[in-house]
Structure formats: structure tokens, C-alpha cells
Amino acid sequence: MPTAPSSKICRHRAMLPEASAAVPARVGLSQLLATFVRLGTMTFGGGVQSWIHREVVQRLGWINDKSFLSGMTVAQILPGANPVNMALYVGLHLRGGVGAAVAVFGMLIPAFCTTLLLGALYRSYGHLAAVHFVLAGMAAAGVGATLTMGIKVARRLPRNLVTALIAVTVFVLVGVLRWPMIPVVVVMVPLSIALAFVAERKSEAVS
Amino acid sequence: MNVTTRLLALMTVFAPISLLSFGGGQSTIPEMQRQAVAVHGWLTDAQFADVYAISRAAPGPSTLIVALIGWQVSGFFGALVATLAIFVPSSILMYAASAWWQRNEGSALRKAIEQGLAPVAVGLVFAGAVIVLDAAHAGVLALVTTAAVVILQSATNISTYATVGVVAGSYLILFAVSRYLT
């Protein structure tokens, strides 16, 4: 979902003294990998986008603010996890396809290993009543976090009947009636985009 | 079922979900639950709720729940194949589309795509919440926890990891106290 760019966290790299020198040198793949492995580890604290921004735009000056924000919009709109898409975008910008692959790999590897480690602990201790009880609480908390995000996005939706109907229809079909997501999304996404396109044209014709 | 068949099954389940995961990882939870529990029987509802909890507590995108499902199906290679299946297709799409996206800044079609995807993602996110609560057989305590987290996170800037950590700690104490009393 597109979020309003926060000007507070975004300083143009030209403002940084070390980045004002001519064209920056080509970023090495190993440096790219190391940076994204570090960012992948930091995602533990949440707020991934601002961490990436701090590293890649402010500290390293690899990419300017405008490109970064534009990438953030694409990363949020297109399918895929935002931090992964963002890593891909930065890697692509710096070193093309290989850079994209390296950045994504770096971003995912710490999380992948930690998740597998937690999974192994679960297989060893999952039978304990206490573990199951605590996990139930964590699942409930996870759902709460998801709902909070959903509510935030829902409040930013344009307030009209069509938008509300699409959101409610998708919810009822998938969440209540338990229809498979794929056919629902394949039908609803083009429909929703077409309706938004028509509405956009109409409002342009008026203004 | 031999290993190859199981790995192929993981791929064919997660690759299409990857291409349709609009709105990030949370919108894919309904389909993951349906496929892993109802269609393939890889996990029980209770196990799904457990791995969901783990994926929310682990760092990185919560889409990595697929690594846990994959492990259940076919060990390390199951985890690897499921992870590749969920991240590679969407990454290829991102790779292909980001140039088009930047060229067409301000175009009516791009605006329509941005606006049209949002309500679908919202519907899926709320569906995912209902499905996880249902899979976990959420009782009063779970519903109260969920509501409390929504209120806490709406009112403060506390991160999801901190919230999940606080809830885990509280539940552990609650468990110990209830054992002590009975």
C-alpha cells in the first residue's frame, strides 16, 4: 500500500559531504551482500523500510531519495513481501539482475535460518502444554498486529461504495465462505482496477 | 509420496500464491491455511496456528511461514523449495515491472492499479485474521488478547516483535500461575 513519504527520514544524498564527489564508485557484490545480510538481521526490530533507507540512502549514498521513494511504492503495490521487493529494487538499481538476486538472498538468509531454528525448537518442545499455550497467545497477538495494519490501510481507502463493496466481497468470499483465494483475486483485481480506472477518467473529465 | 512429488507439490502450491500476494505476506494467510490444512493435510489446524505464531515472532517477512510448512512436508529441502517458490515468482514480476512503473509515473493506469489493489488487499488481510483465529480455536482469552493488541498498537508506536514478546511473556506467567493454583 502506498504510504506518504516521510520527509523527516529522507535526506538527499547530495547533502552528505562524502557523496557529493563525482559519480560514486561501482558497488561491489560482496559489499552489497554484506549490507543486506546486516539489514536482514536488523528486521528483527521491525520498521524495515526506514532501516534500509538509513543504510542505503543516508549512510552509503547508493541511491537518491526520489528513486528510493518511488521504489518503495512499487515494492508495496506489487506482489511479494515489501522488504524483499525493496532489496531487489536497490540491488537492481546498483548492479542489475545479479545485484537484485544478491540483495534478495542477503535480505532473506538471516530470517530463513532463524525461522528454521525456531521451527526445530518447536519440533522438540511443541508437545509441551506450556509451549502450545504460549504459541496460542503469540498467534492471537500476531492476528492483532495484522488487524491493526488492516485497519490503517482500510482507513486510507477512498470513501466510496464501490471500494467498500470490493473489500467486503473479498473478505466474505475468502474469510467466511472459504473460497480459494486464487480465482477470487484473479477476478476481483482486474475488476477493481477497471472500476478505479473508470472513476479516475471520470474525475479527470470533470476537472 | 516420494520426495520429488512432495517438493513439486510445494512448488505448485506456493508459486501461484507468490504472484498474487498483493499487500505483502499477510494477504496470503487464507490460501496458505486452506492449502496446507484442508487441501493437502500437511498440518492440522492447531499446527498451522502454531507455525503462524512462530513466523510472526521470527525476524523477516512473515511469508517465511512457508519455510515451516515446507519443513513439515519434506525437511530442509521442503523448507528451501517452499521459500524459493514464494519469493522467486514475485521477485521476477517486481524485476520486470519496476522499470515500467517508473516510466509511467502519473499515468491513469498506474493510479488505477494502485487504487484498485488496495481494497482487495484489505479484504484478504481481514479474511486472514478470521482464518487464523478460527484455526487456533480462539476462545475468550485469545479474542481479548487480539483486541488488546489492536488497541495497544493503534495507540502507541510499539513494534510487532515487542508486542508478541510481551504477550508471550504474559502467557507464560499465566500458564505457570494456573498450574500452581490447580
Side-chain angles (χ1 to χ4, degrees), chain A residues 43-44 70 74 77 79-80 88-89 92 112 122-123 130 132-133 135 137 140 142 145-146 171 178 180-181 192 200, chain B residues 18-19 21 26 30-31 34 50 52-53 56 60 71 83 91 95 101-102 111 114 116 127 134 146 153 161 167 171 175:
Chain A
T43 56
F44 217 126
S70 158
V74 210
I77 298 275
L88 186 141
Y89 179 85
L92 185 64
F112 180 74
Y122 170 66
R123 276 186 300 283
H132 191 70
F133 185 77
L135 283 175
T146 302
F171 170 74
R178 302 295 168 94
M181 176 188 93
S192 183
E200 187 71 27
Chain B
S18 171
L19 284 177
S21 59
Q26 289 306 304
E31 187 63 10
R34 204 184 68 87
D50 284 350
Y52 171 83
R56 290 312 301 256
W71 188 290
T83 304
S91 294
Y95 176 84
W101 197 262
Q102 291 190 308
K111 267 190 213 154
E114 283 177 29
D134 189 44
T146 301
Q153 289 209 313
Y161 297 104
V167 169
Y171 267 61
F175 184 85

Side-chain angles (χ1 to χ4, degrees), chain A residues 57-83:
Chain A
V57 180
Q58 294 182 340
R59 202 175 72 81
L60 297 162
W62 282 353
I63 182 170
N64 68 35
D65 230 19
K66 192 168 171 291
S67 299
F68 186 86
L69 289 175
S70 158
M72 221 160 85
T73 323
V74 210
Q76 285 169 334
I77 298 275
L78 288 179
N82 297 347

Side-chain angles (χ1 to χ4, degrees), chain A residues 166-187:
Chain A
I166 290 166
V168 171
T169 307
V170 170
F171 170 74
V172 171
L173 291 179
V174 176
V176 182
L177 301 176
R178 302 295 168 94
W179 285 20
M181 176 188 93
I182 290 168
V184 172
V185 169
V186 164
V187 172

Side-chain angles (χ1 to χ4, degrees), chain B residues 112-150:
Chain B
I113 293 174
E114 283 177 29
Q115 285 174 4
L117 288 176
V120 177
V122 167
L124 289 174
V125 164
F126 281 91
V130 171
I131 282 169
V132 172
L133 288 178
D134 189 44
H137 299 290
V140 178
L141 181 62
L143 294 177
V144 169
T145 306
T146 301
V149 168
V150 171

